[in-house]
mmCIF file of all heavy atoms in Angstrom:
data_model
loop_
_atom_site.group_PDB
_atom_site.id
_atom_site.type_symbol
_atom_site.label_atom_id
_atom_site.label_comp_id
_atom_site.label_asym_id
_atom_site.label_seq_id
_atom_site.Cartn_x
_atom_site.Cartn_y
_atom_site.Cartn_z
ATOM 1 N N GLY A 35 126.319 109.995 -27.241
ATOM 2 C CA GLY A 35 126.641 111.362 -27.614
ATOM 3 C C GLY A 35 127.864 111.867 -26.878
ATOM 4 O O GLY A 35 128.947 111.984 -27.444
ATOM 5 N N THR A 36 127.699 112.142 -25.580
ATOM 6 C CA THR A 36 128.775 112.772 -24.806
ATOM 7 C C THR A 36 129.103 112.064 -23.497
ATOM 8 O O THR A 36 130.064 112.446 -22.833
ATOM 9 C CB THR A 36 128.388 114.230 -24.477
ATOM 10 O OG1 THR A 36 127.199 114.232 -23.674
ATOM 11 C CG2 THR A 36 128.135 115.030 -25.745
ATOM 12 N N ASN A 37 128.341 111.058 -23.122
ATOM 13 C CA ASN A 37 128.531 110.416 -21.822
ATOM 14 C C ASN A 37 129.674 109.398 -21.898
ATOM 15 O O ASN A 37 129.469 108.174 -21.844
ATOM 16 C CB ASN A 37 127.244 109.743 -21.347
ATOM 17 C CG ASN A 37 127.285 109.375 -19.870
ATOM 18 O OD1 ASN A 37 128.354 109.329 -19.261
ATOM 19 N ND2 ASN A 37 126.118 109.121 -19.302
ATOM 20 N N VAL A 38 130.877 109.926 -22.015
ATOM 21 C CA VAL A 38 132.062 109.091 -22.207
ATOM 22 C C VAL A 38 132.300 108.180 -21.003
ATOM 23 O O VAL A 38 132.699 107.011 -21.158
ATOM 24 C CB VAL A 38 133.297 109.977 -22.479
ATOM 25 C CG1 VAL A 38 134.582 109.146 -22.487
ATOM 26 C CG2 VAL A 38 133.127 110.716 -23.805
ATOM 27 N N GLU A 39 132.058 108.678 -19.807
ATOM 28 C CA GLU A 39 132.314 107.891 -18.605
ATOM 29 C C GLU A 39 131.465 106.615 -18.580
ATOM 30 O O GLU A 39 131.982 105.522 -18.317
ATOM 31 C CB GLU A 39 132.033 108.737 -17.360
ATOM 32 C CG GLU A 39 132.345 108.013 -16.056
ATOM 33 C CD GLU A 39 132.159 108.902 -14.840
ATOM 34 O OE1 GLU A 39 131.918 110.118 -15.009
ATOM 35 O OE2 GLU A 39 132.248 108.381 -13.711
ATOM 36 N N LEU A 40 130.167 106.750 -18.867
ATOM 37 C CA LEU A 40 129.313 105.565 -18.871
ATOM 38 C C LEU A 40 129.641 104.654 -20.043
ATOM 39 O O LEU A 40 129.638 103.422 -19.904
ATOM 40 C CB LEU A 40 127.838 105.975 -18.921
ATOM 41 C CG LEU A 40 126.819 104.825 -18.925
ATOM 42 C CD1 LEU A 40 127.052 103.856 -17.767
ATOM 43 C CD2 LEU A 40 125.395 105.371 -18.898
ATOM 44 N N LEU A 41 129.938 105.235 -21.205
ATOM 45 C CA LEU A 41 130.287 104.413 -22.357
ATOM 46 C C LEU A 41 131.551 103.600 -22.086
ATOM 47 O O LEU A 41 131.661 102.446 -22.516
ATOM 48 C CB LEU A 41 130.464 105.280 -23.610
ATOM 49 C CG LEU A 41 130.720 104.504 -24.912
ATOM 50 C CD1 LEU A 41 129.586 103.525 -25.208
ATOM 51 C CD2 LEU A 41 130.918 105.460 -26.076
ATOM 52 N N GLU A 42 132.505 104.188 -21.365
ATOM 53 C CA GLU A 42 133.701 103.428 -20.994
ATOM 54 C C GLU A 42 133.311 102.205 -20.155
ATOM 55 O O GLU A 42 133.799 101.089 -20.404
ATOM 56 C CB GLU A 42 134.672 104.304 -20.199
ATOM 57 C CG GLU A 42 135.917 103.532 -19.752
ATOM 58 C CD GLU A 42 136.736 104.251 -18.696
ATOM 59 O OE1 GLU A 42 136.390 105.383 -18.318
ATOM 60 O OE2 GLU A 42 137.733 103.651 -18.231
ATOM 61 N N LYS A 43 132.450 102.387 -19.175
ATOM 62 C CA LYS A 43 132.024 101.269 -18.327
ATOM 63 C C LYS A 43 131.309 100.205 -19.148
ATOM 64 O O LYS A 43 131.534 98.996 -18.968
ATOM 65 C CB LYS A 43 131.109 101.782 -17.212
ATOM 66 C CG LYS A 43 131.805 102.676 -16.190
ATOM 67 C CD LYS A 43 130.817 103.193 -15.145
ATOM 68 C CE LYS A 43 131.504 104.120 -14.149
ATOM 69 N NZ LYS A 43 130.539 104.698 -13.172
ATOM 70 N N GLN A 44 130.438 100.645 -20.059
ATOM 71 C CA GLN A 44 129.721 99.697 -20.905
ATOM 72 C C GLN A 44 130.678 98.933 -21.816
ATOM 73 O O GLN A 44 130.523 97.717 -22.022
ATOM 74 C CB GLN A 44 128.672 100.435 -21.745
ATOM 75 C CG GLN A 44 127.535 101.020 -20.934
ATOM 76 C CD GLN A 44 126.590 101.855 -21.774
ATOM 77 O OE1 GLN A 44 126.926 102.276 -22.887
ATOM 78 N NE2 GLN A 44 125.379 102.108 -21.252
ATOM 79 N N THR A 45 131.671 99.633 -22.342
ATOM 80 C CA THR A 45 132.647 98.992 -23.228
ATOM 81 C C THR A 45 133.452 97.945 -22.477
ATOM 82 O O THR A 45 133.705 96.841 -22.987
ATOM 83 C CB THR A 45 133.580 100.053 -23.838
ATOM 84 O OG1 THR A 45 132.789 101.025 -24.544
ATOM 85 C CG2 THR A 45 134.569 99.422 -24.804
ATOM 86 N N ARG A 46 133.850 98.255 -21.271
ATOM 87 C CA ARG A 46 134.623 97.289 -20.479
ATOM 88 C C ARG A 46 133.765 96.068 -20.114
ATOM 89 O O ARG A 46 134.279 94.942 -20.063
ATOM 90 C CB ARG A 46 135.162 97.962 -19.217
ATOM 91 C CG ARG A 46 136.247 99.001 -19.508
ATOM 92 C CD ARG A 46 136.947 99.496 -18.271
ATOM 93 N NE ARG A 46 137.974 100.479 -18.612
ATOM 94 C CZ ARG A 46 139.179 100.162 -19.075
ATOM 95 N NH1 ARG A 46 139.512 98.877 -19.226
ATOM 96 N NH2 ARG A 46 140.045 101.115 -19.366
ATOM 97 N N GLU A 47 132.473 96.285 -19.889
ATOM 98 C CA GLU A 47 131.607 95.169 -19.512
ATOM 99 C C GLU A 47 131.238 94.294 -20.713
ATOM 100 O O GLU A 47 131.317 93.058 -20.639
ATOM 101 C CB GLU A 47 130.331 95.680 -18.852
ATOM 102 C CG GLU A 47 129.379 94.556 -18.477
ATOM 103 C CD GLU A 47 128.105 95.048 -17.805
ATOM 104 O OE1 GLU A 47 127.946 96.283 -17.628
ATOM 105 O OE2 GLU A 47 127.255 94.188 -17.458
ATOM 106 N N PHE A 48 130.858 94.923 -21.839
ATOM 107 C CA PHE A 48 130.299 94.158 -22.956
ATOM 108 C C PHE A 48 131.304 93.876 -24.073
ATOM 109 O O PHE A 48 131.020 93.085 -24.961
ATOM 110 C CB PHE A 48 129.060 94.875 -23.501
ATOM 111 C CG PHE A 48 127.937 94.931 -22.508
ATOM 112 C CD1 PHE A 48 127.718 96.066 -21.739
ATOM 113 C CD2 PHE A 48 127.116 93.834 -22.306
ATOM 114 C CE1 PHE A 48 126.686 96.117 -20.812
ATOM 115 C CE2 PHE A 48 126.082 93.870 -21.381
ATOM 116 C CZ PHE A 48 125.873 95.013 -20.630
ATOM 117 N N LYS A 49 132.435 94.568 -24.064
ATOM 118 C CA LYS A 49 133.541 94.309 -24.983
ATOM 119 C C LYS A 49 133.123 94.338 -26.460
ATOM 120 O O LYS A 49 133.347 93.376 -27.210
ATOM 121 C CB LYS A 49 134.215 92.974 -24.646
ATOM 122 C CG LYS A 49 134.827 92.965 -23.240
ATOM 123 C CD LYS A 49 135.419 91.628 -22.883
ATOM 124 C CE LYS A 49 136.143 91.693 -21.543
ATOM 125 N NZ LYS A 49 135.272 92.193 -20.439
ATOM 126 N N PRO A 50 132.519 95.432 -26.913
ATOM 127 C CA PRO A 50 132.182 95.550 -28.334
ATOM 128 C C PRO A 50 133.433 95.723 -29.186
ATOM 129 O O PRO A 50 134.501 96.076 -28.676
ATOM 130 C CB PRO A 50 131.326 96.823 -28.373
ATOM 131 C CG PRO A 50 131.836 97.641 -27.227
ATOM 132 C CD PRO A 50 132.176 96.654 -26.154
ATOM 133 N N ARG A 51 133.285 95.511 -30.480
ATOM 134 C CA ARG A 51 134.426 95.687 -31.381
ATOM 135 C C ARG A 51 134.663 97.155 -31.707
ATOM 136 O O ARG A 51 135.780 97.591 -31.946
ATOM 137 C CB ARG A 51 134.195 94.911 -32.689
ATOM 138 C CG ARG A 51 135.444 94.754 -33.541
ATOM 139 C CD ARG A 51 135.138 94.471 -34.979
ATOM 140 N NE ARG A 51 134.575 95.614 -35.686
ATOM 141 C CZ ARG A 51 135.268 96.666 -36.107
ATOM 142 N NH1 ARG A 51 136.576 96.746 -35.864
ATOM 143 N NH2 ARG A 51 134.691 97.654 -36.751
ATOM 144 N N ILE A 52 133.555 97.948 -31.732
ATOM 145 C CA ILE A 52 133.645 99.353 -32.134
ATOM 146 C C ILE A 52 132.683 100.176 -31.293
ATOM 147 O O ILE A 52 131.595 99.713 -30.941
ATOM 148 C CB ILE A 52 133.330 99.514 -33.643
ATOM 149 C CG1 ILE A 52 133.524 100.961 -34.103
ATOM 150 C CG2 ILE A 52 131.933 99.001 -33.981
ATOM 151 C CD1 ILE A 52 133.433 101.129 -35.620
ATOM 152 N N VAL A 53 133.074 101.409 -30.937
ATOM 153 C CA VAL A 53 132.213 102.347 -30.214
ATOM 154 C C VAL A 53 132.328 103.714 -30.863
ATOM 155 O O VAL A 53 133.368 104.055 -31.441
ATOM 156 C CB VAL A 53 132.576 102.433 -28.711
ATOM 157 C CG1 VAL A 53 132.345 101.100 -28.028
ATOM 158 C CG2 VAL A 53 134.001 102.898 -28.522
ATOM 159 N N ALA A 54 131.257 104.498 -30.763
ATOM 160 C CA ALA A 54 131.236 105.824 -31.386
ATOM 161 C C ALA A 54 130.741 106.869 -30.403
ATOM 162 O O ALA A 54 129.874 106.595 -29.564
ATOM 163 C CB ALA A 54 130.351 105.823 -32.635
ATOM 164 N N VAL A 55 131.279 108.086 -30.524
ATOM 165 C CA VAL A 55 130.836 109.247 -29.754
ATOM 166 C C VAL A 55 130.619 110.409 -30.720
ATOM 167 O O VAL A 55 130.943 110.318 -31.904
ATOM 168 C CB VAL A 55 131.857 109.634 -28.657
ATOM 169 C CG1 VAL A 55 131.832 108.611 -27.528
ATOM 170 C CG2 VAL A 55 133.252 109.751 -29.238
ATOM 171 N N SER A 56 130.085 111.514 -30.203
ATOM 172 C CA SER A 56 129.615 112.577 -31.089
ATOM 173 C C SER A 56 130.728 113.365 -31.765
ATOM 174 O O SER A 56 130.581 113.787 -32.912
ATOM 175 C CB SER A 56 128.701 113.534 -30.315
ATOM 176 O OG SER A 56 129.390 114.088 -29.199
ATOM 177 N N THR A 57 131.844 113.609 -31.060
ATOM 178 C CA THR A 57 132.907 114.441 -31.630
ATOM 179 C C THR A 57 134.257 113.758 -31.481
ATOM 180 O O THR A 57 134.446 112.863 -30.657
ATOM 181 C CB THR A 57 132.977 115.808 -30.924
ATOM 182 O OG1 THR A 57 133.437 115.623 -29.578
ATOM 183 C CG2 THR A 57 131.616 116.509 -30.921
ATOM 184 N N GLU A 58 135.225 114.234 -32.253
ATOM 185 C CA GLU A 58 136.572 113.674 -32.181
ATOM 186 C C GLU A 58 137.223 113.992 -30.832
ATOM 187 O O GLU A 58 138.055 113.224 -30.341
ATOM 188 C CB GLU A 58 137.424 114.225 -33.329
ATOM 189 C CG GLU A 58 138.804 113.606 -33.436
ATOM 190 C CD GLU A 58 138.793 112.075 -33.527
ATOM 191 O OE1 GLU A 58 137.841 111.513 -34.107
ATOM 192 O OE2 GLU A 58 139.736 111.458 -32.994
ATOM 193 N N GLU A 59 136.824 115.098 -30.226
ATOM 194 C CA GLU A 59 137.355 115.436 -28.903
ATOM 195 C C GLU A 59 136.955 114.370 -27.873
ATOM 196 O O GLU A 59 137.793 113.907 -27.083
ATOM 197 C CB GLU A 59 136.843 116.807 -28.468
ATOM 198 C CG GLU A 59 137.372 117.260 -27.108
ATOM 199 C CD GLU A 59 136.849 118.617 -26.700
ATOM 200 O OE1 GLU A 59 136.123 119.259 -27.496
ATOM 201 O OE2 GLU A 59 137.151 119.054 -25.574
ATOM 202 N N TYR A 60 135.686 113.984 -27.892
ATOM 203 C CA TYR A 60 135.237 112.923 -26.992
ATOM 204 C C TYR A 60 135.887 111.590 -27.353
ATOM 205 O O TYR A 60 136.190 110.774 -26.473
ATOM 206 C CB TYR A 60 133.712 112.793 -27.035
ATOM 207 C CG TYR A 60 132.978 113.911 -26.335
ATOM 208 C CD1 TYR A 60 132.142 114.777 -27.034
ATOM 209 C CD2 TYR A 60 133.115 114.100 -24.960
ATOM 210 C CE1 TYR A 60 131.462 115.792 -26.393
ATOM 211 C CE2 TYR A 60 132.440 115.126 -24.304
ATOM 212 C CZ TYR A 60 131.620 115.968 -25.026
ATOM 213 O OH TYR A 60 130.940 116.986 -24.382
ATOM 214 N N ALA A 61 136.082 111.364 -28.650
ATOM 215 C CA ALA A 61 136.718 110.118 -29.080
ATOM 216 C C ALA A 61 138.150 110.024 -28.558
ATOM 217 O O ALA A 61 138.595 108.959 -28.118
ATOM 218 C CB ALA A 61 136.699 110.027 -30.604
#
Side-chain angles (χ1 to χ4, degrees):
T36 62
N37 195 343
V38 172
E39 183 176 353
L40 180 53
L41 185 58
E42 178 194 357
K43 293 178 182 177
Q44 293 174 342
T45 303
R46 291 190 180 281
E47 178 180 0
F48 295 98
K49 298 177 174 55
R51 194 201 71 76
I52 184 171
V53 296
V55 288
S56 58
T57 68
E58 186 54 33
E59 181 180 356
Y60 287 116

